[in-house]
Amino acid sequence: MFSFRGCGRWVAASLTKQHHPSSRFSGDSAAPWTPHFDVVVIGGGHAGTEAAAAAARCGSRTLLLTHRVDTIGQMSCNPSFGGIGKGHLMREVDALDGLCSRICDQSGVHYKVLNRRKGPAVWGLRAQIDRKLYKQNMQKEILNTPLLTVQEGAVEDLILTEPEPEHTGKYRVSGVVLVDGSTVYAESVVLTTGTFLRGMIVIGLEMHPAGRLGDQPSIGLAQTLEKLGFVVGRLKTGTPPRIAKESINFSILNKQTPDNPSIPFSFINETVWIKPEDQLPCYLTHTNPQVDEIVLENLHLNCHVKETTKGPRYCPSIESKVLRFPNRLHQVWLEPEGLDSDLIYPQGLSVTLPAELQEKMITCIRGLEKAKMIQPGYGVQYDYLDPRQITPSLETHLVQRLFFAGQINGTTGYEEAAAQGVIAGINASLRVRHKPPFVISRTEGYIGVLIDDLTTLGTNEPYRMFTSRAEFRLSLRPDNADSRLTFRGYKEAGCVSQQRYERAIWMKSSLEEGISVLKSIEFPSSKWKNLIPEASISIGKSLPLRALDVLKYEEVDIELLAKAVPEPLRKYTKCRELAERLKIEATYESVLFHQQQEIKEVQRDEALQLPKDLDYLTLRDVSLSHEVREKLHFSRPQTIGAASRIPGVTPAAIINLLRFVKTTQQRQAAMDRLPKTDQHLCNTDKLEDRQL
Amino acid sequence: MWRGLWTLVARAARGPRSPRPCTRQGSGAPAPGSGATVFALSSGQGRCGIAVIRTSGPASGQALRSLTAPRDLPPARKACLRLLSDPRSGEPLDRALVLWFPGPQSFTGEDCAEFHVHGGPAVVSGVLQALGSVPGLRPAEAGEFTRRAFAHGKLSLTEVEGLADLIHAETEAQRRQALRQLDGELSHLCRGWAETLTKALAHVEAYIDFGEDDNLEEGVLDRADSEVRELEVALGAHLRDARRGQRLRSGAHVVVAGPPNAGKSSLVNLLSRKPVSIVSPEPGTTRDVLETPVDLAGFPALLSDTAGLREGVGPVEQEGVRRAQKRLEQADLILAVLDASDLASPSSCNFLDTVVIPAGAGSPNGRSQRLLLVLNKSDLLPAGGPDPSADLPPYLLLSCLTGEGLDGLLEALRKELAALCGDPSTGPPLLTRARHQHHLQGCLDALGHYKQAKDLALAAEALRVARGHLTRITGGGGTEEILDIIFQDFCVGK
């Protein structure tokens, strides 16, 4: 249906002129040059790229608007992706056919799985990424995505119209106004502005407006959102200085080598693009009392640290580490920025001192004695919107068809942004096609945990994912993200390719078959002991042991089992991933059985939907305390499950709410049986109520 | 706080609840993946003729079978008389009407069972504890029956019947408050345990989320291990010493003691409203310990009449005195009886010095005994009351002859017994007790799983389950608490 113009045109365009505000770059030659799209995504960062690509995958004609095309896919902070919890998010993004995992498999320079010895449920896939390659590969992907057009331009305002009566919300967004005054119409708009909303960069006592070093902030848009009535908060984050690679004495530092073999992020990749022996090492050094001294002596030159704006507790600047945990040596990881980059990123040295003091501090550190600072570290302060103002589909309560994703919702991290981007993109597209929203429950994925935490509890510091946030951690593992999300993504959202879907089906059926085969093989423990002398099987149990039980032993894997019982187990050793996943399923089998019960209970509460148009503040005929009303009014939980997770909402309030909703539904059902004219009248009544 | 509670509502239902050999009967194993089975006292709290205990969920049939004899399910929706007994001990609990409502034609739409038992606190408590020991069953959270009914589209019924559940839900917020007052010691213990456990869990979680790249100090896991071991010992000791629960089931031991001829036997007969003991004006009439089960102010009690304490009498009476003294040591509550008109006599003074005063001061083994001092024969007193020169601890005046002062004594008894057994009239302590035992046992079991787990994610899961059980007694339990501890104790993140 569509022919791709793709990369050629992009290269031509980028060679000729890059910064013309209205130049459009399209992977879709058939797209008319009319400024009307199904979905417009504002921002080309990790949330924006995922949102735009997801909307396009779902079949929506999509426009990605960004300040500069050449910063699409830019990694503004650390040169790495993944980690504990974050790797889980990436696997889930990948299960929905998102981009970042695949791009990382093409752009990494050091792949290492964290937590290898702590159990597969908490393995953290992580990689050092070549910034340049990532950006190149991401831009190639974005500019070759069918139905996706890219345009440079800064958005100044939103075009608003009357709300659709069948949905809640005061307004409906129908397009955007650019700085140059031109307009683009859209059925849905996704805002992924990162740190650009009234962004402010801080180095020492200097502050100047910028979204990222060298980029203009978005001020008009921030004002628009505030005027509409969105509750705005302020957060801060920081990034360390960059150091010239050749000025570092690596020979005296601890070297960390990558995994061999490398484990890819994406389910559809068997391996990564680069061999382990060609990958780059990382190095470890530590701070010392001299560093503490420089920090403490110069606090008066450091306004970022003194500000009351909330920064992340878990991504602290060196200043806050020194202040909170004095007299300790703090780790500094020296990470490569890319294969041919001459920069090193000192992870753990985020700092906002004046530049010359940063340089002085760096040279106190072992291995960095002669280090040359290429770019100083800096702090960023920016606006975020209280995420309790959005639904689990990431649409705002206030403005219909307006979606938020990424740091604008108070999160930090590439992976958290990407996860929201996929969901916002999918839902922006579904909304246009009048389909029900695609919501991931906290029982289904870390994405669900992330979005549920944000939308029901809000956040007052940059939100980062940890595995300790997931109550169903043993079920939500990196290895099984595809069986949790790919099928839903394919059937409900249409964001998953046929190829990926079929692979997931194959894997699922192979796993099920494998597990039932392993359950069917039963021998007395003494026989197992003879077959697999390596395993510490205790003899004397009268009951026969299943092969699945034997596989639970730490020292047993499918390989070993298949040696003992070649038929029918040999075939399961053929696929590395399948063999590994069978082992993981065996490890957690007994606990998962119970966790499944618990998940059912939570899902039961989540199936109880609350009407979206309840006005909790004025609701009559229901006994709710004022405090509870205000809490419900602000968070607007969509289900009884979400309502019950809001702190301060009591069990009694939940039941009163249930009862009220049920009676209303019965009344509504009775009303629906009345003749049409009456129904029309009743709808108008409702409209007036809302406007009051 | 609520959020944490809620996420843990389900969590405590999870698993490794019953490492004791699973006593599955028939085909009644809970269907996998269909949610936990919950139980609750669904009639009003406090003393009533008949109490209704209800279960809802897939293991209801199994629960019914394991408590009743004969062990087959009664016909659907037909009341049947069955003997209820504790499935662990076989101890009979009550003869009760039971009803079986297979879903979906039931109150909640799930399989439900109802036990209509005699309403005494001992019976209700016994049945609740027995239900708690059936695999797959756990005490219902506030409002849970109503929610389940709603989920199955049964709300029209709930409009009427959910009321009790709703009342419970409203008192839920006050539950912990009440618990603190009623059961101060246990609540204090639980909070301490929960704190230790939360800290241990936070350290394990920190090791999982940050251990690899950050420099957590050495020995984080070892410290968590030793904390868990200590907790296990403390919990185990507490559960073995569940005296209070037993008191409620079999009755508190109330021992009537005093010097000869103070009117002990008259008091026993008055309280039991039947002639248990022979009464005569002759000192030393009662020579053995006479026991009678009575209902004292709504509580089951075992009332013991003892020989008057005196020295230098014949061998038979001497043996009676020895037995009386032994019984006194085992008493949960002593009713010390003195002749109000004879306070200055040597036997009265001796009794005051050896029994009454030491009990008030706390006994040497650290267990202070509860004691009520009753001055009998108030009808013989002059208008001014007992001799003010006798330096007496607080006392109650009574005349067994006229019955004067009996109401005051009963009220004092009610208070003492409520403190001993938990007061059934102030709401859910009966439930609370069953819950306590359920969750403390669940916690202990989970700690056992922690020790066995080789996989750190599984070990942390066991601690999460254990903490879930404790925080359902104490409240709290959200993820934020864990993160707060992590960021307070460790310098993590980059």
Side-chain angles (χ1 to χ4, degrees), chain A residues 51-118:
Chain A
R57 282 202 304 281
C58 291
S60 290
R61 292 176 51 257
T62 305
L63 176 69
L64 175 63
L65 271 171
T66 171
H67 283 192
R68 282 163 53 191
V69 169
D70 66 343
T71 59
I72 287 177
Q74 174 131 326
M75 300 167 65
S76 318
C77 194
N78 50 316
S80 62
F81 253 92
I84 302 157
K86 289 167 172 273
H88 293 65
L89 283 172
M90 286 176 74
R91 275 286 167 114
E92 293 180 4
V93 169
D94 185 62
L96 295 170
D97 228 347
L99 311 178
C100 66
S101 293
R102 280 187 290 124
I103 307 288
C104 280
D105 286 345
Q106 299 162 18
S107 323
V109 292
H110 176 120
Y111 294 86
K112 188 168 187 67
V113 176
L114 305 181
N115 269 354
R116 264 295 190 193
R117 281 168 303 151
K118 295 179 196 164

Side-chain angles (χ1 to χ4, degrees), chain B residues 443-457:
Chain B
C443 178
L444 188 61
D445 295 347
L447 294 181
H449 287 262
Y450 169 79
K451 278 197 313 196
Q452 288 162 15
K454 289 214 176 81
D455 177 313
L456 195 63

